[in-house]
Amino acid sequence: IPNRLAATFERSWQQGLRCLSDAQIAALRVIDTPIRFARPLASGERGYPGFNAWGTDFGRPGGGLQQVVNRLGLNTLPPVYPMPPHGTGFEEGAPYHAGFWDEWIRHFVTRNPAFDSLTFDPQRPGPWQARIDQLSLRQDVNRTDLSAFARAGGKLLIAHGTADQLVSSRASAEYYRRIRRDMGPGKTRQFLRYYEIPGYGHAASTQFNAAWDSLSALEAWVEHGRAPRRQTVTDTVGVPGRTRPLCEYPSWPRYVGKGDVNRAESFVCSPARGAHR
């Protein structure tokens, strides 16, 4: 019996090393959940749509590019407060999220380097509400009337990785939908394309590190009137040389069931359904 108990304990302990705790799952659910402000900001923003937490790389052990991914996510160690000095090693430094919030509160909002950012309640900013409103007019670039840009011949290509752990692709999709709502789908399509890239993080990813010749696509559209068609992205890290179709939102690359899984030709851009969006 003692041997069986020991074996059961060992299996449970090993499983615990591989699985998330209840507290970690609860934290991911908070990250995944949209936040709604008690009152709109001066910019008109009423909240933030949350992150695609499930499947996103928020930080795991590893060297090279993985260290960059970790730093942009939650890193591999919990932060201490006061924040460790910037410039420390990737493994020892604070997660980017924590450092960004800390410095924004101290240097942008309160303009007091000695302010304790952990005492600041973003839902109840009190005397700092006016300052946050002022900053929102500078930092929330959310105007949806791009008529002047379009009339001048401007073309806009936007791509966002759905595994971005620092800036939510949901926010980009929301902005794109606002433009279509306010300018109309027809006018929007004359100058704008929005793409989402599954598996791609914030400018760096060890799963699918997407490379895209967007400049050539934009040049062909602006200078020769050839709108982007059948664009592809190429993985440079996860499986170097692997390609995927770059699908216009809200469609996504779906494997056709046969052919090389590392070739874009084996995928089609499929309309989004149910749980995918």
Side-chain angles (χ1 to χ4, degrees), residues 201-231:
H202 188 84
S205 175
T206 55
Q207 299 303 307
F208 189 95
N209 199 62
W212 171 38
D213 187 6
S214 57
L215 181 59
S216 292
L218 189 62
E219 193 175 71
W221 199 7
V222 172
E223 298 185 5
H224 305 289
R226 295 197 299 269
R229 293 181 65 250
R230 298 179 181 175
Q231 299 288 294

Side-chain angles (χ1 to χ4, degrees), residues 117-233:
S117 63
L118 293 183
T119 66
F120 192 99
D121 185 347
Q123 289 291 73
R124 300 173 183 82
W128 306 112
Q129 183 67 63
R131 175 60 178 166
I132 293 175
D133 279 338
Q134 182 184 24
L135 289 170
S136 77
L137 295 173
R138 292 174 176 267
Q139 296 179 324
D140 293 335
V141 184
N142 56 7
R143 296 177 182 174
T144 56
D145 184 0
L146 305 180
S147 300
F149 174 77
R151 284 196 302 269
K155 306 295 182 184
L156 182 60
L157 300 178
I158 304 175
H160 203 148
T162 60
D164 192 328
Q165 73 280 53
L166 189 59
V167 178
S168 177
S169 64
R170 297 180 190 176
S172 292
E174 186 176 272
Y175 178 61
Y176 172 71
R177 290 194 298 268
R178 289 182 194 175
I179 294 174
R180 283 173 54 89
R181 177 198 66 198
D182 295 344
M183 295 190 64
K187 288 185 178 180
T188 300
R189 187 157 183 79
Q190 291 175 8
F191 74 95
L192 172 61
R193 297 289 188 276
Y194 173 54
Y195 309 94
E196 288 191 342
I197 307 173
Y200 188 38
H202 188 84
S205 175
T206 55
Q207 299 303 307
F208 189 95
N209 199 62
W212 171 38
D213 187 6
S214 57
L215 181 59
S216 292
L218 189 62
E219 193 175 71
W221 199 7
V222 172
E223 298 185 5
H224 305 289
R226 295 197 299 269
R229 293 181 65 250
R230 298 179 181 175
Q231 299 288 294
T232 61
V233 286

Side-chain angles (χ1 to χ4, degrees), residues 81-83 102-103 105-108 110-119 128:
Y81 198 88
M83 290 296 170
D102 177 56
E103 295 201 356
I105 293 299
R106 290 189 294 116
H107 297 293
F108 283 73
T110 67
R111 288 173 283 192
N112 175 9
F115 189 88
D116 183 349
S117 63
L118 293 183
T119 66
W128 306 112

